Amino acid sequence: MAAEREPPPLGVGKPTDFEELEDGEDLFTSTVSTLESSPSSPDPASLITEDISTNSNGPKPAEVVLDDDREDLFAEATEEVSLDSPEREPILSSEPSPAVTPVTPTTLIAPRIESKSMSAPVIFDRSREEIEEETNGDVFDIEIGVSDPEKVGDGMNAYMAYRVTTKTSLSMFSKSEFSVKRRFSDFLGLHSKLASKYLHVGYIVPPAPEKSIVGMTKVKVGKEDSSSTEFVEKRRAALERYLQRTVKHPTLLQDPDLRQFLESSELPRAVNTQALSGAGILRMVNKAADAVNKMTIKMNESDAWFEEKQQQFENLDQQLRKLHASVEALVCHRKELSANTAAFAKSAAMLGNSEDHTALSRALSQLAEVEEKIDQLHQEQAFADFYMFSELLSDYIRLIAAVKGVFDHRMKCWQKWEDAQITLLKKRETEAKMMVANKPDKIQQAKNEIREWEAKVQQGERDFEQISKTIRKEVGRFEKQRVKDFKTVIIKYLESLVQTQQQLIKYWEAFLPEAKAIA
Amino acid sequence: MEEHREAGKESKPSSMSVDLQGDSSLQVEISDAVSERDKVKFTVQTKSCVPHFAQTEFSVVRYHEEFIWLHNAYVENEEYAGLIIPPAPPRPDFEASREKLQKLGEGDSSITREEFAKMKEELEAEYLAIFKKTVAMHEVFLQRLAAHPTLRRDHNFFVFLEYGQDLSVRGKNRKELLGGFLRNIVKSADEALITGMSGLKEVDDFFEHERTFLLEYHTRIRDACLRADRVMHSHKCLADDYIPISAALSSLGTQEVNQLKTSFLKLAELFERLRKLEGRVASDEDLKLSDMLRYYVRDSQAAKVRGGPRADLRAGATREGGQAGKGRGPGILCPCRPQDLLYRRLRALADYENANKALDKARTRNREVRTAESHQQLCCQRFERLSDSAKQELMDFRSRRVSSFRKNLMELAELQLKHAKASTLLLRNTLVILKGEP
């Protein structure tokens, strides 16, 4: 199929819709058949709403029935939640949300625009991704943008405030379009809350962007140079991708903390996210303790799937790191190339000025102009290299760390179950001992404890099975998303390369007659 | 080091910078070249119907030092004072390339076998390219001499082309080097004096214009050449970056079990091909732009009046310091600095003026008038002869320069177009495949 297709016309997105539409439909039918895996495979017809809205002007709502499977899961989860952490309200309603069209992953890519500033994100066409999403039952109509970084305050207390804009038709939000101002620590606070709620039950919570003391200090101090603007832009883009990934997670989307983050105008300051706060230090200590524990837990893995997957992710992590390092070198060299080309352009212009042969002089000036334009091209390409390719890789490196964390939690869960079993055994032994020693009050105590620990063992087993189930599902979802993300970004990146080459062709074709004209 | 043989006619970029009128009575070319440990052995072949030679076709083996000897012989010959002597070919310098190959050999255990093989391939290609270039430089030098109506008749040239044995040219020893160095200083001082002499009026507008022109031109073209080199170097770094990227993508692809497998593998292939294209872009830039500019840096050096002793020292030490040995333009310690044509002419003019004054003095004193007169005659003749040939040479220089720029800029544009089109095609094909699969 691929071979006969003519290459799609260039330009970012619009004409390609029509060709890819056929593709989408093919996809559609094939993925439906694979849905048999779920026990109660839903009637394909009820799954789909073909809503190909391509922009944010209020997409039409439609009905969607979530997997029965999913509903059960959620119902169970609600129960679990109330057992373990009483302070948490049920995280899900069991009725299906009237979600509609999906979020596009393509908003993560910074657009290729003429000017050097890349502040306003452009929402590209989302039609293909929508159809794919719908077939999986993962349909969401929510778009997030992070924009307008603004410095608030002065000196070392200054911070950057970002505007978070949400466009949605989901009914759980009170409005269809709204925006709030948030600062970086707010994002970290959100992540921290979500992580504490969901990570240990096996959900892959997307990690927040990293802190950077150096970067922020420069911004605070007020250096208006290009490196601090670049830093802010890099951070803005990262925050946007972070939110987009978070809302794409069906479970996390339902979380009230997330909702509050997106909606409410005032947010309590998350001081626990500061690196040197008490909570920060506690976090570091816990991390160290965890690392030690991981080494000492020897789990009897009854399910080869988990071992396989862990190995897979380990390998993937290594490979991605290698690739990321190489791509960073590429970005660096391309920037160098751009700078050197600019310098050469200037000296070519000077040479042209001192050349006394008129035609040659003109040709040299033209050469200087061409080289200047090429320098600009290289710079834009370096941006694309970075924002598309390099940042995708670094995002996934951190995501995989979150995945590994989830596997670790499963191990801890198992350990807890194991410990409960061991304790139960001990309690039974104690009971037996008491029976022999004939101490009736102690026997009663022992019986109570046994009951208590029997319940804990049961709970432990349930928890373990639950987390295993959740992880399986999460990993499945994660992998699907990963495939999609990578494919989309790869295609966009290659298109950027094509565009650069085409521009080069244009420039050199314009120059050639000038060279020929030298008489 | 392994031996590299010059493949023959097709691989020679020899006419890259020089537009030679084919005068078939004396054809010189370098038919073969072999790299031996630290020397390059050139086989110089001559075809000629000049009666002086014993045969019509013959060849000899020459080393770089012998080329330099020949160049110096021309430069030091008074008779050629009015001519631009073609610049000497740069010393063959494989140091950088050799170092890189060595580092690769010792290198890094973290790179895979395929990466290693590719990098080795790249370095070998680089080595080969440098080799070809150095052969071309030597050949162009000889061909320019053979094409020049006066220079081709030089006795030393014949000896160089024909004498079967080793010319026993030793490099200058320390004393001679020092002598040469001092001579250059004296020359610079002399130049400064002459140009500063208020009594010395430039009689010819043409030369006045040429002087200012060449001064500025030389500086700017040298600047352009340096920067072009940096661009080329960046491009090469970029191309080299694709190697580890391609390798990482390839291992990612082999590990994946899902749809990304084909994507990654295809991407790995794509980057491998792009690397080759980028490499070619870099080397074409090098050949058509940098080398051409470099050649004219040296050629304009041969023609101009230097801006004074300070400028030389600066040029020798700082600007060209980092690029020593690349033949960028003779630094002050180079023994084969060409006699600057305009300077020589000015020198002749100064001599002429002095002779006039001496004659006047002799006449007033009425002593040794005859000698003074004949001396003055001699100076006058020399000056006029120099002026005429200098004018011709400078005009030749200009037209050579213009046509060479034209040719090279055209070829540069055409090659860049070709590579950009190939890249586009390659990228588009990959896109089709990637978009087409589910």
Side-chain angles (χ1 to χ4, degrees):
Chain A
M1 162 173 77
E4 295 95 72
R5 278 209 318 167
E6 50 172 62
L10 256 236
V12 196
K14 299 281 179 191
T16 63
D17 289 0
F18 302 98
E19 288 160 15
E20 295 197 74
L21 191 47
E22 296 135 23
D23 227 17
E25 277 160 9
D26 289 343
L27 253 153
F28 184 85
T29 48
S30 57
T31 33
V32 164
S33 51
T34 62
L35 278 175
E36 257 85 19
S37 51
S38 56
S40 49
S41 63
D43 178 6
S46 65
L47 264 182
I48 311 324
T49 346
E50 193 99 3
D51 198 20
I52 314 180
S53 65
T54 55
N55 54 35
S56 45
N57 302 332
K60 309 174 275 293
E63 295 290 77
V64 157
V65 176
L66 293 173
D67 268 7
D68 292 344
D69 206 25
R70 215 123 138 277
E71 280 193 75
D72 292 342
L73 179 63
F74 293 158
E76 258 185 63
T78 325
E79 247 180 74
E80 304 285 13
V81 164
S82 49
L83 261 179
D84 288 356
S85 27
E87 68 273 22
R88 264 197 274 142
E89 31 173 331
I91 52 181
L92 296 165
S93 58
S94 37
E95 69 217 6
S97 59
V100 193
T101 47
V103 180
T104 166
T106 57
T107 46
L108 27 101
I109 296 118
R112 286 182 60 86
I113 51 182
E114 296 318 317
S115 64
K116 290 198 193 149
S117 77
M118 321 254 283
S119 47
V122 168
I123 318 285
F124 295 130
D125 292 324
R126 316 184 263 113
S127 9
R128 287 341 73 178
E129 291 78 37
E130 292 172 16
I131 298 178
E132 288 171 53
E133 293 260 69
E134 284 167 18
T135 61
N136 304 332
D138 283 359
V139 286
F140 299 102
D141 168 29
I142 178 164
E143 277 168 39
I144 311 272
V146 174
S147 58
D148 307 325
E150 197 177 26
K151 186 163 168 210
V152 176
D154 260 322
M156 285 313 285
N157 290 328
Y159 62 90
M160 278 302 209
Y162 302 88
R163 176 176 298 283
V164 178
T165 314
T166 316
K167 294 188 181 126
T168 176
S169 69
L170 292 172
S171 67
M172 66 167 131
F173 294 101
S174 49
K175 291 189 272 193
S176 64
E177 193 171 324
F178 46 90
S179 75
V180 290
K181 281 276 195 188
R182 294 283 177 256
R183 55 185 290 188
F184 187 66
S185 55
D186 293 334
F187 288 83
L188 293 182
L190 172 68
H191 173 255
S192 156
K193 289 200 198 121
L194 293 176
S196 68
K197 282 195 240 177
Y198 297 98
L199 255 186
H200 69 270
V201 281
Y203 289 99
I204 302 174
V205 178
E210 279 170 355
K211 283 199 244 244
S212 163
I213 299 183
V214 174
M216 261 332 273
T217 315
K218 268 212 253 171
V219 172
K220 285 184 207 229
V221 165
K223 276 182 81 171
E224 283 296 322
D225 64 355
S226 60
S227 71
S228 44
T229 6
E230 254 182 67
F231 171 79
V232 171
E233 173 52 30
K234 182 175 167 187
R235 178 165 276 194
R236 183 209 64 77
L239 289 172
E240 192 172 82
R241 292 195 306 271
Y242 163 66
L243 280 182
Q244 284 166 348
R245 284 214 172 87
T246 307
V247 298
K248 229 183 280 177
H249 194 300
T251 313
L252 297 179
L253 181 56
Q254 310 287 338
D255 186 281
D257 279 326
L258 178 59
R259 224 180 302 157
Q260 189 191 33
F261 179 89
L262 292 174
E263 274 189 321
S264 59
S265 44
E266 285 299 319
L267 206 64
R269 266 214 60 196
V271 287
N272 286 342
T273 58
Q274 283 167 344
L276 298 178
S277 68
I281 304 221
L282 189 62
R283 259 200 304 279
M284 281 194 279
V285 170
N286 282 339
K287 259 203 202 147
D290 279 350
V292 173
N293 279 341
K294 215 175 23 169
M295 290 192 279
T296 54
I297 297 180
K298 262 200 320 181
M299 182 169 148
N300 316 344
E301 186 56 79
S302 53
D303 195 341
W305 185 90
F306 285 92
E307 222 172 288
E308 223 180 86
K309 281 295 168 188
Q310 268 184 291
Q311 189 55 51
Q312 218 181 302
F313 279 114
E314 189 56 51
N315 292 342
L316 187 61
D317 185 39
Q318 274 180 12
Q319 292 301 331
L320 284 180
R321 278 177 200 272
K322 258 213 279 178
L323 183 59
H324 182 240
S326 312
V327 173
E328 282 194 311
L330 181 75
V331 173
C332 180
H333 285 136
R334 214 188 281 278
K335 286 195 180 148
E336 248 178 54
L337 177 61
S338 159
N340 287 339
T341 310
F344 174 70
K346 289 207 187 77
S347 55
M350 299 270 281
L351 189 62
N353 280 342
S354 50
E355 177 60 64
D356 57 354
H357 186 274
T358 13
L360 181 55
S361 170
R362 195 177 51 236
L364 285 171
S365 309
Q366 293 290 78
L367 181 67
E369 266 181 50
V370 166
E371 293 287 339
E372 226 180 273
K373 290 195 204 142
I374 291 179
D375 144 50
Q376 193 61 27
L377 262 186
H378 286 315
Q379 232 173 356
E380 285 171 11
Q381 185 61 55
F383 277 138
D385 288 346
F386 181 73
Y387 283 104
M388 290 189 209
F389 207 176
S390 178
E391 287 285 76
L392 172 78
L393 293 172
S394 71
D395 279 353
Y396 266 92
I397 290 171
R398 278 177 308 121
L399 272 167
I400 288 179
V403 172
K404 286 206 252 183
V406 147
F407 277 99
D408 287 345
H409 276 295
R410 177 171 171 272
M411 270 214 292
K412 278 200 254 170
C413 192
W414 180 86
Q415 188 68 62
K416 203 165 155 206
W417 178 28
E418 262 296 290
D419 289 345
Q421 284 179 312
I422 291 171
T423 315
L424 178 63
L425 212 59
K426 276 204 212 123
K427 298 296 174 190
R428 290 221 167 105
E429 279 172 13
T430 316
E431 188 201 26
K433 257 195 258 167
M434 295 300 125
M435 298 278 254
V436 165
N438 204 1
K439 298 193 182 151
D441 48 339
K442 288 268 170 72
I443 293 177
Q444 189 50 45
Q445 187 189 3
K447 282 210 194 300
N448 287 340
E449 286 183 348
I450 288 176
R451 254 206 307 280
E452 186 190 330
W453 281 96
E454 274 175 350
K456 285 202 178 146
V457 165
Q458 276 182 351
Q459 183 62 51
E461 186 174 5
R462 271 206 300 270
D463 281 347
F464 181 70
E465 282 175 6
Q466 184 56 53
I467 199 177
S468 300
K469 203 170 167 193
T470 308
I471 289 181
R472 273 181 187 268
K473 213 160 188 292
E474 280 287 286
V475 167
R477 194 188 59 87
F478 177 80
E479 284 289 86
K480 263 201 211 112
Q481 190 61 51
R482 180 167 76 86
V483 168
K484 223 185 331 166
D485 271 353
F486 270 82
K487 284 197 82 178
T488 318
V489 170
I490 286 173
I491 288 177
K492 282 261 158 354
Y493 179 61
L494 290 186
E495 282 175 351
S496 83
L497 288 175
V498 171
Q499 201 152 346
T500 301
Q501 294 299 325
Q502 292 204 304
Q503 286 292 91
L504 277 175
I505 291 177
K506 241 183 39 184
Y507 297 149
W508 286 113
E509 273 178 350
F511 175 72
L512 192 54
E514 288 289 333
K516 286 192 176 148
I518 303 172
Chain B
M1 274 286 147
E2 316 115 60
E3 297 190 348
H4 289 270
R5 291 195 166 259
E6 173 62 44
K9 282 220 162 72
E10 354 74 43
S11 47
K12 276 186 276 181
S14 56
S15 49
M16 60 170 174
S17 309
V18 186
D19 199 17
L20 300 169
Q21 282 79 17
D23 183 350
S24 51
S25 60
L26 180 63
Q27 276 182 340
V28 182
E29 69 178 23
I30 296 185
S31 58
D32 194 11
V34 169
S35 165
E36 290 173 347
R37 223 168 313 126
D38 53 350
K39 282 180 175 279
V40 181
K41 201 163 76 169
F42 301 97
T43 306
V44 179
Q45 187 179 54
T46 318
K47 290 195 189 120
S48 165
C49 34
V50 169
H52 171 96
F53 295 119
Q55 303 162 292
T56 45
E57 252 187 69
F58 49 90
S59 55
V60 293
V61 166
R62 290 284 172 251
Y63 289 93
H64 173 73
E65 291 75 29
E66 294 169 308
F67 284 79
I68 299 302
W69 165 83
L70 179 63
H71 178 256
N72 286 342
Y74 275 107
V75 152
E76 288 161 6
N77 190 334
E78 172 60 35
E79 268 187 45
Y80 304 132
L83 306 173
I84 299 179
I85 313 292
R91 195 174 63 82
D93 179 21
F94 301 104
E95 263 325 296
S97 196
R98 224 172 266 153
E99 257 177 48
K100 280 199 230 169
L101 263 169
Q102 198 171 27
K103 251 203 304 190
L104 183 66
E106 292 164 3
D108 223 343
S109 54
S110 70
I111 51 178
T112 67
R113 199 167 293 169
E114 295 91 34
E115 271 183 74
F116 180 82
K118 278 192 210 149
M119 286 168 76
K120 185 158 175 284
E121 197 188 300
E122 272 302 304
L123 284 175
E124 282 177 352
E126 201 181 291
Y127 186 90
L128 193 61
I130 297 179
F131 183 77
K132 283 192 189 166
K133 264 203 256 180
T134 195
V135 169
M137 293 277 162
H138 285 73
E139 194 179 60
V140 157
F141 170 66
L142 293 178
Q143 287 176 336
R144 268 186 75 179
L145 289 171
H148 196 291
T150 316
L151 299 175
R152 74 215 298 241
R153 289 190 248 122
D154 184 81
H155 175 74
N156 287 320
F157 191 43
F158 291 159
V159 167
F160 179 92
L161 290 175
E162 207 185 12
Y163 186 59
Q165 312 268 352
D166 189 3
L167 289 176
S168 297
V169 169
R170 54 175 177 74
K172 297 200 172 159
N173 64 23
R174 225 198 231 148
K175 200 156 112 193
E176 285 165 340
L177 278 176
L178 194 59
F181 174 66
L182 286 172
R183 251 199 304 278
N184 281 339
I185 302 248
V186 166
K187 227 172 11 116
S188 309
D190 193 24
E191 228 182 293
L193 275 174
I194 298 181
T195 51
M197 268 167 71
S198 51
L200 193 64
K201 268 196 281 228
E202 178 54 78
V203 295
D204 196 337
D205 275 343
F206 174 79
F207 285 101
E208 186 56 40
H209 166 82
E210 284 298 302
R211 197 173 130 241
T212 25
F213 167 72
L214 280 172
L215 202 60
E216 195 184 56
Y217 192 78
H218 179 77
T219 323
R220 291 186 177 184
I221 198 171
R222 183 158 54 188
D223 210 36
C225 180
L226 268 170
R227 292 179 178 187
D229 270 346
R230 284 203 205 116
V231 172
M232 197 266 309
H233 178 76
S234 286
H235 242 136
K236 227 185 154 288
C237 281
L238 201 70
D240 285 342
D241 280 337
Y242 283 140
I243 298 179
I245 290 182
S246 177
L249 282 166
S250 183
S251 28
L252 267 171
T254 29
Q255 276 174 19
E256 291 279 1
V257 294
N258 54 30
Q259 305 143 336
L260 282 180
K261 190 186 192 68
T262 14
S263 302
F264 281 140
L265 290 174
K266 267 278 147 216
L267 211 58
E269 209 184 289
L270 169 73
F271 276 113
E272 175 54 29
R273 300 232 201 110
L274 278 181
R275 165 179 85 87
K276 299 221 168 93
L277 277 172
E278 286 283 346
R280 271 185 231 136
V281 168
S283 69
D284 284 338
E285 255 172 13
D286 190 26
L287 272 175
K288 300 295 166 191
L289 203 52
S290 306
D291 275 356
M292 173 190 71
L293 290 173
R294 208 187 329 273
Y295 190 81
Y296 280 100
V297 168
R298 277 187 270 119
D299 219 13
S300 59
Q301 172 76 35
K304 79 169 175 83
V305 171
R306 290 172 265 107
R310 291 280 103 193
D312 296 332
L313 288 170
R314 252 188 292 120
T318 48
R319 284 239 209 103
E320 294 163 331
Q323 307 283 348
K326 269 188 135 193
R328 194 161 307 280
I332 197 159
L333 293 177
C334 170
C336 50
R337 158 162 278 175
Q339 299 278 16
D340 299 328
L341 176 60
L342 293 184
Y343 156 71
R344 294 197 292 277
R345 186 184 153 274
L346 275 183
R347 175 80 261 165
L349 181 60
D351 290 343
Y352 180 32
E353 296 264 315
N354 289 338
N356 273 335
K357 291 190 190 132
L359 184 57
D360 286 341
K361 238 208 236 166
R363 281 199 180 128
T364 43
R365 281 200 233 134
N366 210 351
R367 280 174 62 185
E368 298 178 348
V369 174
R370 271 289 150 70
T371 23
E373 254 177 21
S374 57
H375 178 67
Q376 191 250 30
Q377 277 285 64
L378 216 63
C379 283
C380 177
Q381 277 169 6
R382 185 163 172 271
F383 172 67
E384 279 173 2
R385 199 185 39 161
L386 258 184
S387 283
D388 286 340
S389 75
K391 203 174 221 168
Q392 189 58 45
E393 287 285 300
L394 287 169
M395 295 205 297
D396 281 349
F397 171 71
R398 189 178 195 247
S399 62
R400 259 187 295 121
R401 191 178 78 240
V402 171
S403 65
S404 154
F405 266 76
R406 176 174 189 273
K407 178 165 180 291
N408 281 298
L409 287 177
M410 262 172 57
E411 287 178 359
L412 177 72
E414 281 165 0
L415 283 167
Q416 301 285 38
L417 269 173
K418 177 168 144 211
H419 297 320
K421 287 187 179 153
S423 294
T424 310
L425 191 62
L426 186 62
L427 286 164
R428 280 223 170 110
N429 286 343
T430 311
L431 268 171
V432 164
I433 295 177
L434 288 179
K435 282 184 179 170
E437 56 177 46

